Amino acid sequence: MSLTGKHILSSDLFDRDELERLFRLADLLVPVARGEQVTRVLEGAVMASLFFEASTRTRLSCESAFLRLGGAVSSTTGSEVTSMSKGESLADTGRVVGGYCDLVVMRHPEVESIHEFAAATNTPVVNAGNGAGEHPTQALLDMFTLHREFARLGKTMDGRRIALVGDLRHGRTVHSLMKLLSRYDSMTIACVSPAELGMPAPLLELAAARGHRIEESDQPATALKDADVVYTTRLQTERFADKPMPYSDDFRIDSSLVNRVCRADAVIMHPLPRDSRPGSNDLSADLNGDPRLAIFRQTDAGIPTRMALFASVLGVADGIAASLRPA
Ligand code: CP
């Protein structure tokens, strides 16, 4: 399957062969992401970056990825500074913006937004997060991080125990990640959340139908034991109509819990941002010195992964190896 010219709205699109092709390309692009090598395969191309919801990592890493491939970026943040504040529809906005660029990256707080926008244009649209729906490029970078972590640890992806922890109901990164994990074989996927914040049933059913063992639990201390990967998420306070229920202290992933129950070779991940405000039970900063904590290796993986995706969607991936030169 070729990604050239496709909208990237869901991680459904990526099968195992496609993931492994993207990882090989992203591995090749790591020195470009670090500024050690240069390529200009996207010279003359323009990316429109539309973020109608807050972002640090996704917006800046998408823009850096496009710029480091030699392209140019045109950017807007917040619908109040676009003509949507005058009542323009997402469909009209999609038709117009698609005429100004070669690729659109869009984040929007509503689940249906990305579909309405993409239906109005033939210019490829990349979903950078649609409400509590999906975040496919985050899942790609998470899987690329695992590909590199497991290579370092001498493990394969198949047969691993993965614990997904936190607000699995509203967390769009874990929705996209479930679909990609399901592409591998014989996983045990432990979904660990308060009962009200569980993984949506269709995603549990998808993974089970592909032969994976699914466990659901509200007990992190038990579920994290023997996990090869602990992927924890923030309580998505912005998705609650009323004041969100707080997590119990049992959901605080800190050095005390990790040192008590986790494997010595566990990989501890979080899509970030983590909530450091008083009263939050998000991933603790007291793990920052723990080599098992992969959160900043994840953020660094964002640029080569998104470069590999953009180059593939714009049909220039095959030219990258020959184009690389020292910085
Ligand atoms: N992980 C993630 O989507 O981060 P941002 O919200 O900062 O883009």
Side-chain angles (χ1 to χ4, degrees), residues 54-58 107 135 138 271-273:
S55 171
T56 296
R57 277 145 290 272
T58 311
R107 170 172 291 187
H135 194 345
Q138 176 72 43
L272 302 184

Side-chain angles (χ1 to χ4, degrees), residues 169-209:
R169 176 177 169 203
H170 301 106
R172 58 194 172 200
T173 72
V174 285
H175 300 167
S176 289
L177 188 59
M178 274 292 273
K179 293 180 176 180
L180 297 190
L181 290 170
S182 298
R183 295 294 190 183
Y184 290 81
D185 292 330
S186 307
M187 299 275 191
T188 299
I189 304 176
C191 293
V192 193
S193 67
E196 302 84 344
L197 300 178
M199 183 67 78
L203 291 165
L204 295 172
E205 288 158 13
L206 173 80

Side-chain angles (χ1 to χ4, degrees), residues 198-266:
M199 183 67 78
L203 291 165
L204 295 172
E205 288 158 13
L206 173 80
R210 289 186 182 158
H212 303 290
R213 180 184 160 86
I214 303 297
E215 295 175 6
E216 285 189 279
S217 156
D218 61 1
Q219 299 296 319
T222 311
L224 267 53
K225 210 164 165 285
D226 296 329
D228 296 284
V229 178
V230 175
Y231 187 104
T232 183
T233 63
R234 178 176 64 89
L235 183 65
Q236 307 280 304
T237 49
E238 66 275 32
R239 306 284 174 229
F240 291 79
D242 300 319
K243 197 171 182 298
M245 45 158 281
Y247 284 144
S248 107
D249 283 347
D250 293 349
F251 280 85
R252 184 170 178 76
I253 309 295
D254 59 12
S255 59
S256 162
L257 178 69
V258 166
N259 289 331
R260 191 158 42 89
V261 304
C262 288
R263 293 171 60 112
D265 63 353

